């Protein structure tokens, strides 16, 4: 573990904007010239569709046509009448709205990351997507839910933008400000065709995916989409038909993404008490132990016992990344870990407390998956990625994170290993009592999976992001939440999962 790693993280955050880990942050960055225009992006291999042309739009009107000229006049008129409020929003969206929509997702995850409370009679009512108003409100955006929402958002953006790039360079219709130099352009100039609008793809796909994930936010998301689409017109880059074509692609890819989501098994992840008890009893018969929930008040069912059965993105099956059996209670390895945790508990240094708190990512935050998306957004801006390449980065990272979570939850409920607080008499944590088994550590798996993808995409940052992942893992040991083998094995598990995604990325044509 690298000493003073927290200070290194803080330095990275400060190099871009202020860094506040516990709640979503909005990066303060201006439009920039893309490091690469990714001219061949329309040939990259997508995830949900077989080819870029699977998403269809009409051939655009020529720039010398009366139809186009009328649209150009309307664009110029809208720019001339722009209000101060619209100028502010135009600056906010920048020329990389992939980051902005990811920030909206993180905001919603934090807002909905709240445990449903008990009823007056001590029973629990689970959030129900069929009745999102509740009570309790749907969803409970816990880490597995967050990982899934971010994966579908990012993959839909990525595939939609591959299709957009295909048509951009097929039709080669220039930006409005290039057709008519009197049109002011709000962002950094770069030679990318305008039809269809990549920003419109992002706006519509993101709105539809996030509305499905957070149905109570439908009106808010519609406002954000409208605000974004208006900013695209006011940027001087697009005319109305550019934006409409992009929105059509966004709509089509969202339909495909949500079709996959409807059949991925997530609706069955949260089980009844009878199923939850049967999983625990099966583990006890298999190994001679089972985790017992020590929450107060105690929820009768652990968190998403069947998340390990959800469809994975790039791993062939969950058994491919299931780790070996943890140390049996009473074994020499187990007893050595008991002594180590007792030593940490007796000597909770300021540095260890800081590490535990920094990586806590508990209720009311954007969770560990969101934490790594925040890091990724900062690297995207630092390295001046195009919208397409930014979406690719987040898509592969979030697929690896979700696959990692599925693999981790499979291990948690297969082994059903007790937490230290259950096994060590008088033991106390400084980070709460999670409502699911111990082995392996979710923080460790999520973080290692994310860090490996970021190390692949940003090789200059590889040592740092891997050190961050190791610190995220040990933070749970310092907090008393996990055994050290939960963290070390979980870290390797996350790396193993990520390798499947990295292997897929290396063959998509983007490198």
């Amino acid at each position: 573990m690298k000493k003073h790693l927290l200070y290194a993280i803080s330095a990275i955050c400060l190099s871009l904007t202020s860094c506040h880990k516990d709640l979503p942050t909005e990066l303060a960055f201006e439009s920039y010239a893309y490091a690469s225009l990714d001219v061949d992006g329309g040939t990259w291999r997508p995830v949900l569709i077989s080819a870029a042309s699977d998403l269809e739009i009409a051939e655009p009107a020529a720039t010398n046509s009366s139809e186009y000229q009328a649209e150009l006049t309307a664009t110029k008129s809208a720019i001339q009448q722009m209000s101060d409020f619209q100028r502010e929003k135009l600056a906010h969206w920048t020329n990389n709205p992939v980051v902005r929509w990811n920030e909206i997702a993180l905001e919603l995850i934090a807002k909905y990351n709240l445990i449903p409370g008990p009823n007056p009679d001590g029973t629990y009512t689970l959030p129900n997507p069929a009745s999102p108003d509740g009570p309790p409100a749907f969803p409970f955006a816990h880490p597995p839910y967050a990982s899934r929402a971010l994966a579908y958002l990012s993959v839909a953006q990525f595939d939609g933008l591959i299709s957009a790039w295909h048509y951009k360079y097929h039709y080669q219709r220039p930006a409005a400000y290039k057709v008519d130099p009197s049109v002011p352009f709000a962002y950094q100039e770069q030679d990318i065709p305008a039809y269809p609008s990549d920003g419109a793809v992002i706006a519509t796909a993101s709105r539809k995916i996030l509305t499905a994930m957070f149905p109570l936010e439908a009106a808010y998301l519609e406002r954000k989409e409208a605000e974004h689409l208006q900013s695209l017109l006011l940027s001087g880059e697009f005319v109305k038909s550019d934006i409409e074509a992009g929105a059509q692609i966004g709509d089509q890819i969202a339909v495909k993404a949500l079709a996959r989501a409807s059949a991925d098994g997530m609706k069955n992840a949260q089980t009844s008490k009878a199923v939850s008890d049967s999983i625990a009893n099966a583990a006890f018969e298999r190994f001679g132990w089972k985790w017992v929930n020590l929450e107060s008040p105690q929820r009768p069912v652990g968190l998403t016992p069947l998340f390990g059965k959800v469809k994975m993105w790039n791993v062939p099956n969950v058994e491919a990344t299931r780790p070996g059996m943890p140390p049996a209670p009473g074994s020499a390895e187990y007893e050595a870990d008991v002594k180590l945790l007792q030593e940490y508990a007796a000597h909770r240094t300021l540095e260890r407390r800081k590490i535990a708190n920094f990586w806590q990512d508990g209720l009311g935050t954007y969770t560990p998956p969101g934490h790594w998306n925040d890091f990724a957004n900062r690297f995207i801006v630092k390295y001046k990625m195009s919208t397409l390449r930014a979406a690719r980065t987040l898509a592969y990272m979030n697929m690896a994170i979700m696959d990692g979570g599925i693999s981790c939850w499979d291990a948690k409920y297969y082994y059903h290993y007790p937490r230290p607080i259950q096994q060590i008499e008088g033991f106390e944590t400084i980070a709460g009592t999670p409502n699911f088994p111990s082995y392996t550590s979710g923080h460790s798996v999520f973080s290692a999976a994310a860090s490996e993808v970021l190390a692949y995409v940003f090789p200059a940052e590889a040592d740092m992001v891997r050190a961050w992942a190791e610190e995220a893992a040990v933070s749970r040991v310092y907090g008393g939440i996990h055994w050290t083998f939960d963290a070390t094995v979980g870290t390797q598990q996350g790396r193993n999962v990520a390798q499947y995604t990295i292997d897929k990325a290396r063959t998509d044509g983007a490198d």
Side-chain angles (χ1 to χ4, degrees):
M1 206 63 54
K2 292 191 175 181
K3 193 172 179 63
H4 305 308
L5 185 55
L6 287 175
Y7 301 106
I9 296 172
S10 297
I12 292 296
C13 293
L14 290 171
S15 71
L16 294 169
T17 185
S18 62
C19 184
H20 188 278
K21 186 273 310 175
D22 290 324
L23 291 173
T25 53
E26 183 178 291
L27 294 183
F29 70 98
E30 298 179 351
S31 70
Y32 53 80
Y34 297 153
S36 170
L37 300 184
D38 299 312
V39 174
D40 65 344
T43 67
W44 296 358
R45 180 184 299 172
V47 178
L48 294 166
I49 55 179
S50 59
S53 58
D54 287 355
L55 308 179
E56 299 180 350
I57 56 174
E59 182 177 353
T63 56
N64 61 357
S65 67
S66 59
E67 177 185 347
Y68 181 88
Q69 289 299 314
E71 289 187 357
L72 187 61
T73 299
T75 294
K76 292 168 67 174
S77 176
I79 293 172
Q80 290 167 358
Q81 299 174 49
M82 192 179 349
S83 67
D84 290 341
F85 176 78
Q86 289 171 331
R87 291 182 191 280
E88 179 184 336
K89 295 305 177 183
L90 181 60
H92 163 80
W93 284 106
T94 78
N95 63 340
N96 197 340
V98 168
V99 170
R100 294 303 187 211
W101 278 100
N102 186 271
E103 290 172 340
I104 290 171
L106 300 187
E107 169 196 342
L108 296 181
I109 288 167
K111 180 177 179 179
Y112 286 87
N113 183 15
L114 298 172
I115 293 175
N119 299 320
D121 62 0
T123 62
Y124 278 82
T125 303
L126 295 175
N128 182 359
S131 303
D133 289 317
F138 176 87
F140 167 24
H142 46 69
Y145 192 91
S147 72
R148 179 173 176 266
L150 291 165
Y152 279 102
L153 172 68
S154 302
V155 168
Q157 291 176 340
F158 180 46
D159 277 19
L161 290 179
I162 290 174
S163 182
W165 248 250
H166 164 72
Y167 288 115
K168 279 177 181 291
Y169 287 95
H170 178 70
Y171 291 122
Q172 294 280 349
R173 188 159 88 172
Y177 72 90
K178 288 186 176 291
V179 175
D180 183 346
S182 71
V183 175
F185 183 44
Y187 303 137
Q188 292 282 334
E189 291 193 17
Q190 40 213 350
D191 193 17
I192 297 179
Y195 183 90
S197 164
D198 48 314
V201 174
I202 297 163
T204 297
S206 301
R207 188 263 301 170
K208 294 199 73 172
I209 297 294
L210 292 178
T211 298
M213 299 295 173
F214 301 94
L216 294 179
E217 301 298 326
Y220 168 71
L221 291 164
E222 285 179 1
R223 290 196 301 272
K224 299 307 288 186
E225 179 191 27
E227 175 191 298
H228 184 192
L229 294 176
Q230 183 181 59
S231 293
L232 294 171
L233 186 70
L234 297 175
S235 72
E237 185 172 3
F238 306 109
V239 297
K240 183 181 178 182
S241 56
D242 295 329
I243 295 169
E244 289 176 341
Q248 289 172 12
I249 290 176
D251 182 76
Q252 291 174 66
I253 195 58
V255 169
K256 292 183 180 297
L258 293 175
R260 183 191 191 278
S262 70
D264 70 358
M266 187 65 180
K267 63 185 176 183
N268 301 318
Q270 190 60 58
T271 68
S272 66
K273 185 177 187 303
V275 172
S276 181
D277 288 347
S278 70
I279 294 170
N281 293 334
F284 187 79
E285 291 180 8
R286 191 181 299 122
F287 305 115
W289 63 69
K290 65 179 178 180
W291 163 77
V292 175
N293 184 13
L294 297 181
E295 284 183 310
S296 181
Q298 184 186 78
R299 283 174 284 174
V301 179
L303 182 67
T304 57
L306 295 183
F307 185 58
K309 304 293 186 183
V310 171
K311 183 179 180 180
M312 303 178 91
W313 292 95
N314 296 309
V315 180
N317 57 71
V318 76
E319 290 81 8
T321 54
R322 181 184 292 165
M325 190 170 71
S331 66
E333 184 179 356
Y334 170 88
E335 293 298 338
D337 218 59
V338 169
K339 290 181 180 179
L340 182 60
L341 265 63
Q342 289 174 325
E343 191 278 330
Y344 284 152
H347 302 91
R348 285 187 171 128
T349 65
L350 179 60
E351 183 175 6
R352 288 173 184 167
R353 284 183 178 273
K354 285 182 176 179
I355 289 171
N357 290 335
F358 181 84
W359 293 102
Q360 172 69 351
D361 293 327
L363 297 174
T365 74
Y366 45 34
T367 76
H371 201 155
W372 285 93
N373 275 259
D374 186 31
F375 288 153
N377 286 337
R378 297 170 191 277
F379 287 132
I380 285 167
V381 173
K382 177 180 177 180
Y383 288 92
K384 301 184 184 305
M385 286 185 158
S386 68
T387 52
L388 174 59
R389 198 161 284 271
R392 176 180 184 264
T393 297
L394 291 172
Y396 283 118
M397 186 188 74
N398 284 315
M399 284 191 290
I401 289 174
M402 182 176 167
D403 281 357
I406 293 168
S407 178
C408 178
W409 253 248
D410 165 72
K412 282 182 179 295
Y413 284 96
Y414 178 77
Y415 292 113
H416 228 276
Y417 201 77
R419 288 185 179 269
I421 195 172
Q422 180 182 337
Q423 297 292 99
I424 304 173
E425 185 176 355
F427 191 75
E428 295 182 356
T429 76
I430 61 171
T433 305
N435 183 35
F436 39 87
S438 190
Y439 181 83
T440 54
S441 157
H443 274 58
S444 304
V445 179
F446 286 132
S447 298
S451 69
E452 287 305 301
V453 175
L454 291 180
Y456 157 70
V457 177
F458 305 105
E461 313 291 353
D463 289 346
M464 183 168 65
V465 295
R466 285 173 175 145
W468 291 358
E470 291 175 3
E471 184 174 276
V474 79
S475 75
R476 306 305 278 169
V477 181
Y478 292 160
I481 296 293
H482 278 290
W483 306 96
T484 58
F485 45 80
D486 293 343
T488 55
V489 176
T491 297
Q492 187 58 52
Q493 182 181 10
R495 289 170 178 163
N496 293 344
V497 169
Q499 193 59 52
Y500 287 94
T501 294
I502 293 168
D503 289 345
K504 184 70 68 68
R506 284 180 171 144
T507 64
D508 75 351
D511 285 343

